Structures are given as C-alpha cells and as structure tokens.
Amino acid sequence: MTQVGEGQEAEESAPSVMTFGAPTVGEILAERYELVEHINDDSAGRQVWRGVDVILRRPVAVVLRHPGGDSATEMLQAAVAASRVIHPNLVGVYDAIDEAERAYVVREWVDGRSLRELTAEGPLDPARATTIGHAVVSALAAVHATGMVHGNVHPGTVMISDDGRVVLADARADGAESHENDLRAVGGVLYFALTGHWPHGEAPLHGATAGHGRAAIPDAVRDANGGLAAPRQIRAGVPAYLDDLTMDLLDRQIEPPTSDVLAAELGRLDVPADEQYLEQAGPLRFSADTEEERSPLSPAGGRKVIFGIAGLLVVALVGLLIGITAFGGGSDDPGGQAAEPTNPATNGEAPTPAPAAIRTLNLSPDQVRVIDPDSRARDEFDGIEKVVDGDQDEAWQTDSYYNAKFSNLKKGMGILIDLKQPQTVKSVEALLSNRGATAHLYAGTADQPSTSAGDKALVQAYQGNQIGPTLENHGAKMVFDGFEADKQHRYLLFWVTDLPEIDPGRYKLIVQEITVQVQ
C-alpha cells in the first residue's frame, strides 16, 4: 500500500536519496515516532515511511528530507500552514521537525490507495469520479478560505482510504501556485478519474507516456494540433454535464468559479446511489410555473411521493365504490340482479355517443430520437429515452453553448416523436428545466434516415406544417394545443431554435419529459 510524498515518485533508476545518516527500521525520531516500514522515495528527495506515534499509539506517515536546514524550508513551512486547516478531506499534519542533518513531517497515515493507483485498474465510473472531485474541491475550499494555496493537487496526492474517505495530502508553499491553478488541477483530477489520462503534461511523442519511470502517467489524448480530447470522446457513458464541467475547468479562456462555488456545484451532483434522481441528467434547475410555485425545500423526489399517495387514495376509493355496488345494491329483484337504469331525457331513444376520452400516450424509447441536421459528430444523442420515461427528475440535454443560437453552429435541434400510427392529437407538452427557450412544433407524414442529410430533409419537409404558434422565450412548460380536430398525425417534431440560459454565458437545452395527449 503506497503513501505518496510531495509530488510523484522517483524514477526506478534514480539513486538513493539518502546515504549517510539514513533512517533505519526501528529508529525513533524525536523520542516519539518509531519508523516501521520504508514505503517509497519521491522525486523531490524525500523518503516516506510508515511509523507509529509511541506516545499516542497511532499509525503515522513520516516524510523525511536529507539534509534539513534551508533545503527543507519549503516542506516545513507547507506542513506548518497545512496543520492549521482541519477538514475531513485533508490529511492531518501532526508535527514538523528540523534536525539540520535531516528534517521530517509527521502526518496522518491513510490506509488505502492514491487516485493514481486506483485508476491504474481502469477509469472510474462518473458517479465515483464526481465524489472524488467533490471531496478534493471541498478540501481546497477550506484551504483557500485561509488565503493559502495547496499547490500540489495531483493523482498521487489524492488518497482514497479503504473505508471510502477521500483526502488530499502534501500541500506545497513555494509561492509559485495560485487558487486558479488549484482549481485547474481539480479539472485535471476529474479528467484523470474519467479517462486514466493526465491533461496537464506536455503531449508525448509517438505514444510515450508523459514523465518517466514509476511516476509516469499517460498524457491526455490530443488531436493533431495538440487540442485536448474531451472525456466523452475517449469513453462512452460520461454525462454531458460532467464532461462540460471538466473541460471548462481545463480551459484557460474560461475563468473558473471560486472553490466554494465549485464545491457546492459538485456537492449537488454528488448524490448517493440510492437517492440518485439526477443520475446522468446533470444540473437540472426546476423552474416553477407561475400558477404553482414549488417550495425550495421540496426534495427532488417529492413529486414521486405525492403521486404515489394520490394513486393509493384513488385505488382505495375505487375499491370502496365497487364494494358498495356489490353488497349494497338495494335491489328488490329476487334473482339478485339490479334493474338497468333508464334516462328519462332520452324518451326511450338511443343515447348520443359520448366524445372519445382524452388520454396520454405511453411513449416508448423507440418512439423518440434526436434531430440534429447541422452536426457531423452527432454526439448529443445520449439519454433521449429519458424524455419519455415518466420521471421528471431525469432528462436529456444538449451540450453547452455560449449563446442562445447554438453559438451560431447550427440552426436548431429537435426531438422527433413517432406515434406509430395516425392519431387525433389534442396536445404536446414539453417540460424543460429552464425558462427562455424558443420552440416550434411541426407535423409530418414520413421519417428519414438518422443521418445529417436525413435530418436536413426531414426538417425541410416538416417546416411547412407548423402546429399552432411559435412559443418564443417561453416558460419551462411548453404546451402545443393548436391541433385541428379532423386531422390525424403520425410524426411530430419538437424543434428548438433558441436555448435557455442555464448559467451566465452558458446555454443548454434540458428536456425532462415530453407527453402527447390523443383522443
């Protein structure tokens, strides 16, 4: 089990970092810290030992540097500063001692593995990567609140204990770092956890790894111009919102949020598995309609609870009515059969047929697909089945854009709904996470291949048959009910031309649910 020191481990071929006066197993430092096992050497000339505090009888990690004095000033200053910040996601620092011929820092021992070791077995699932990122930035928020900088956020200094606790170790204090660089490093940690590649090193040549020896970490995947590949381009299953957040943190053109704001955002997304209403859906911000304000204290799953109770009440009421009919019919017929009721208003004539009942279609995932005619990558299709799963806490979403017009990259995007057969449609409702979208509803008679060319042909054919007015800069609930009673439709296209703003300067379409009512 490896405990990292400050930075990466030394190369396998590196000479021993200590010769004369090197510590030995069983030696007791400062009459208190017994050295039990040499764990590793790091590239900055330090040895890391597992030890025991013989007074408090607790395990400790001892990081030694030879010699001490001026060469150990930065290490000792960082340790003293870190000891003043107490946080569950920071490794505790217990002592810092300079003996001239050597200096050492005594800190908490963590039974577990570094993120570097953990990811060596393969990239982590998005939920676990989010949890680790949340813990790291929470620790940084505590450090930054004191005005300090950590300066050493790296897959080797992020530790995951055997009981699941995530801690950040070994801050530096050389003055060359900043709060912004700490936050960029959080983007690197997320990227590394999701892909197994580190984005902050220089691109290696001919597929070599960045760095050397045991400390080598695979460099990020890059295009011919050195541009960084997004996690979603490297592996499947990475939610768009987590991909966006990671790439924004790594983009030097985008100013990162403060550590406390980032911690709050990752904390909102870091949902336990048994409460994961947001699973893959990302930063949903439910907007209450004007007729009914939703309490900000309502839990994400509140609607499910309300609907569940209402359903039970309906079942109980129906059962009660059936019981009254069966056992309290009050019939005088000796055969036990109740007389058929008559309607005196009809005078014995056949009654006028009632109009067909309005019902909500139970749409299946194969009845919806994304229409994206202006994109060759066609990479925003994941999760479209969530718009018909009956769960408003899950959603399909586009990538983020930097203005409402899809950053002028495309004319629009939409969702094609196949009703399977011509039907008399009463209304189509689209529930979005944010207000501000502009959308149209079109109808058509035929589908097209799911390609850019096919989507272009479909949009061109459908735009001549718009249903009702355009809903411009509309609320989160968009209802299209301008259908003619004597017409039937099989295909409907929900087409969005302006995205809602989800954050200052960021625009994205998040569709929670689409429902179709027919007669």
Side-chain angles (χ1 to χ4, degrees), residues 127 270-279 301 304:
D270 183 14
V271 183
D274 58 350
E275 299 176 12
Q276 202 150 19
Y277 303 115
L278 289 178
E279 178 192 11
K304 295 181 179 180

Side-chain angles (χ1 to χ4, degrees), residues 76 91 216 256 261 351 406 435:
L76 296 172
V91 165
V261 170
F406 293 89
R435 301 172 181 272

Side-chain angles (χ1 to χ4, degrees), residues 444-476:
T445 58
D447 196 357
Q448 293 286 345
S450 182
T451 62
S452 294
D455 287 357
K456 287 180 181 178
L458 185 144
V459 173
Q460 184 176 2
Y462 281 40
Q463 283 181 333
N465 188 16
Q466 180 164 332
I467 305 297
T470 297
L471 301 184
E472 187 173 1
N473 193 22
H474 204 268

Side-chain angles (χ1 to χ4, degrees), residues 153-155 180-192 197-203 210 218-220 222 228 246 249-252:
V153 181
H154 180 277
E180 178 177 337
N181 287 345
D182 276 352
L183 293 165
R184 302 288 185 203
V186 174
V189 166
L190 287 170
Y191 191 98
F192 183 80
H197 297 266
W198 182 242
H200 290 304
E202 294 182 358
D219 183 66
R222 303 174 190 270
L228 193 64
T246 300
L249 288 172
L250 296 173
D251 188 345
R252 291 283 176 181

Side-chain angles (χ1 to χ4, degrees), residues 259-294:
S259 53
D260 56 341
V261 170
L262 181 58
E265 175 68 3
L266 282 170
R268 191 176 58 79
L269 300 175
D270 183 14
V271 183
D274 58 350
E275 299 176 12
Q276 202 150 19
Y277 303 115
L278 289 178
E279 178 192 11
Q280 305 294 323
L284 304 184
R285 293 171 178 84
F286 298 106
S287 297
D289 293 329
T290 54
E291 308 87 60
E292 180 182 356
E293 289 294 330
R294 180 182 174 189

